[in-house]
Amino acid sequence: MIHRASPRGRAAPRLILGNLDCESDFARASGAVTAQGSLPNRVLTTISVAATLLRVFARSEDRLWLPSAVPETTLRDVEGLARPHLVSGSIPQVTRSEGILAWGETPRVAALRRKTGTARRNTGEDRVARLWNASRSTPEAAAVVNDRWFCTELADELGCALPGTRLIHSLDELEAHLAAGGANAASGHWVLKARFSAAGRWRLIHHQPRVPAARSVRRMLERHGPLLFEPWMERTLDVGCCGLLDDTGLSRIGSHILRVDAAGRFQGVELFVGKDSCEAAALEPADARALESALKRCSDALGAQSYRGPFGIDAWRYRQPNRALAFHPLGEINARLTFGWVAHALVDRLRKPYGIAPGSTVRLTFDRQLPESCTGSERPTRVIPLAVASQPIPQAIWLDIRPAEGAL
């Protein structure tokens, strides 16, 4: 099923901005960072292919802007998803009759919104319609709440900040912090992160309780300003939860499992249809309650900063040095759209055309190429390619759907 305009008249095309590089804009809007710079072309192309997934929020007449041009053939035909017009380069002009949806609320997005005024509301009560209809944050508020230090301070207020977490302003300060045992909570493993970053970019991981090459640390400090120091924990499960904050309050969108590699780089999202994903992943009841409490407290904190729109929080279970398991319910706040949001919307859109029944497991995967086989050793898995590109590096994004037990 392709989403079409009403037979009474063609709807005005809307604009979707796949600005997955918005962290750079947040950093500049915060006033704390002035020299972060733009992403390399290869990274811009990679995030542009990923941004094609925002078609899940589109109609066929809409335009989807990407940071870097990708061929129309990158989009695979999927029943239930529209094929919006892909555009790149200068962001298109908009009129008052059009709506705008963006990955992140940046100054460029705000300037476009001022030109459109109030767009016609989208009908329906599903997640996609609610997202289009929600009020939006100012870029200044978005910059404040996307600062990693904002999340750290909130975690400290909740009593769940990781021991040793702090801002580092200089190489001497880092050396002193390590000498004082700043990484003891993780047996000497630690990470430095830019305060505005995503997808594992702009960070330095080290596995010894000493300072690595001083040049790398100085370069990060010069480019990104004060850096967030955290102990690097041995994670055993990564989870996330999505919400929508509007003038009416918080709407919980759903939970999901985050698939990451050993270095914490994002690889995909897994959902359990018709069931809370954290419960299905055997998260301890007390940890699940802590995650829900963190989501609610995060919503309150975002609201206090006048943020409005979609957001997500990440959390994880980890092993302590004594090998006992612990849970960190508020590891990251992403006050923007997230791929958790995208995964939930994909299930909504494709549930009927692909017969995704309650109890099914759906995984959104990002890799270099599509899987060779669509059949697992235990139960068949249906693979739905969403985007495939070959240049400048191979990329493939797909859904695989594993039916519930007894559904075959």
Side-chain angles (χ1 to χ4, degrees):
M1 178 184 69
I2 302 296
H3 299 290
R4 304 278 184 196
S6 166
R8 294 185 178 181
R10 188 170 180 81
R14 304 171 301 179
L15 178 62
I16 301 174
L17 295 168
N19 57 336
L20 272 63
D21 57 346
C22 58
E23 276 72 23
S24 295
D25 292 309
F26 292 150
R28 286 187 284 269
S30 74
V33 179
T34 59
Q36 192 168 62
S38 59
L39 297 172
N41 288 335
R42 288 168 63 90
V43 176
L44 286 174
T45 302
T46 298
I47 65 174
S48 294
V49 173
T52 64
L53 293 183
L54 297 187
R55 66 190 287 202
V56 71
F57 304 117
R59 299 188 298 237
S60 58
E61 65 270 14
D62 293 340
R63 293 168 295 173
L64 172 54
W65 180 87
L66 308 174
S68 183
V70 301
E72 292 278 350
T73 54
T74 301
L75 295 183
R76 293 301 179 94
D77 288 327
V78 180
E79 187 179 2
L81 294 184
R83 289 185 66 96
H85 305 289
L86 302 183
V87 295
S88 59
S90 299
I91 296 178
Q93 295 298 308
V94 291
T95 67
R96 292 185 64 86
S97 63
E98 297 175 326
I100 296 176
L101 180 66
W103 180 263
E105 295 297 316
T106 67
R108 288 186 298 172
V109 176
L112 285 173
R113 290 196 188 281
R114 285 193 290 270
K115 294 180 181 179
T116 62
T118 302
R120 180 168 51 191
R121 294 181 67 84
N122 297 271
T123 58
E125 293 299 325
D126 65 4
R127 282 185 271 237
V128 172
R130 280 188 286 162
L131 178 62
W132 275 100
N133 292 335
S135 51
R136 299 299 171 192
S137 171
T138 65
E140 293 79 14
V144 168
V145 298
N146 277 287
D147 188 334
R148 289 184 183 276
W149 190 244
F150 178 85
C151 177
T152 300
E153 290 186 316
L154 185 56
D156 188 53
E157 179 185 315
L158 292 171
C160 63
L162 295 174
T165 300
R166 63 170 295 173
L167 277 184
I168 297 294
H169 298 79
S170 68
L171 182 63
D172 289 344
E173 191 174 335
L174 174 61
E175 291 174 338
H177 186 52
L178 288 169
N184 286 356
S187 301
H189 307 298
W190 52 273
V191 59
L192 281 178
K193 304 176 182 177
R195 285 162 51 196
F196 298 92
S197 62
R201 295 188 293 269
W202 298 325
R203 66 182 184 173
L204 176 65
I205 302 173
H206 205 59
H207 296 291
Q208 295 293 333
R210 56 182 174 79
V211 178
R215 181 182 301 176
S216 299
V217 176
R218 288 196 180 100
R219 186 183 300 119
M220 283 190 68
L221 286 165
E222 289 170 0
R223 172 171 285 191
H224 304 290
L227 304 172
L228 181 65
F229 177 100
E230 289 181 341
W232 182 256
M233 316 306 290
E234 180 188 343
R235 283 140 70 163
T236 63
L237 177 68
D238 286 77
V239 300
C241 201
C242 299
L244 180 65
L245 183 59
D246 205 347
D247 294 333
T248 58
L250 170 66
S251 296
R252 185 185 186 278
I253 300 303
S255 64
H256 49 273
I257 309 304
L258 291 163
R259 297 295 174 183
V260 300
D261 65 13
R265 288 184 292 262
F266 176 76
Q267 294 182 315
V269 175
E270 188 172 49
L271 302 178
F272 298 86
V273 180
K275 188 175 185 180
D276 183 89
S277 295
C278 291
E279 178 184 342
L283 196 66
E284 293 292 333
D287 295 340
R289 290 192 296 271
L291 180 63
E292 291 299 320
S293 177
L295 181 74
K296 180 59 171 63
R297 182 64 190 90
C298 179
S299 172
D300 293 341
L302 294 179
Q305 294 293 331
S306 299
Y307 177 83
R308 299 292 186 273
F311 72 97
I313 65 172
D314 295 346
W316 58 81
R317 188 170 60 201
Y318 64 94
R319 291 193 184 278
Q320 302 175 84
N322 64 3
R323 311 309 294 166
L325 290 175
F327 185 66
H328 186 38
L330 186 59
E332 191 166 296
I333 298 172
N334 294 303
R336 51 167 171 76
L337 278 171
T338 68
F339 284 113
W341 250 97
V342 168
H344 284 285
L346 282 168
V347 170
D348 286 349
R349 284 282 185 252
L350 305 183
R351 188 187 302 239
K352 186 174 181 180
Y354 287 91
I356 304 176
S360 301
T361 302
V362 179
R363 183 178 294 184
L364 175 64
T365 300
F366 298 71
D367 208 334
R368 294 177 64 84
Q369 61 185 14
L370 294 173
E372 294 181 0
S373 173
C374 298
T375 304
S377 59
E378 299 177 2
R379 284 183 283 156
T381 299
R382 184 170 190 177
V383 172
I384 305 174
L386 300 173
V388 180
S390 58
Q391 296 294 331
I393 56 174
Q395 289 178 256
I397 309 173
W398 70 92
L399 279 180
D400 60 64
I401 304 168
R402 191 178 188 189
E405 293 282 1
L408 301 177

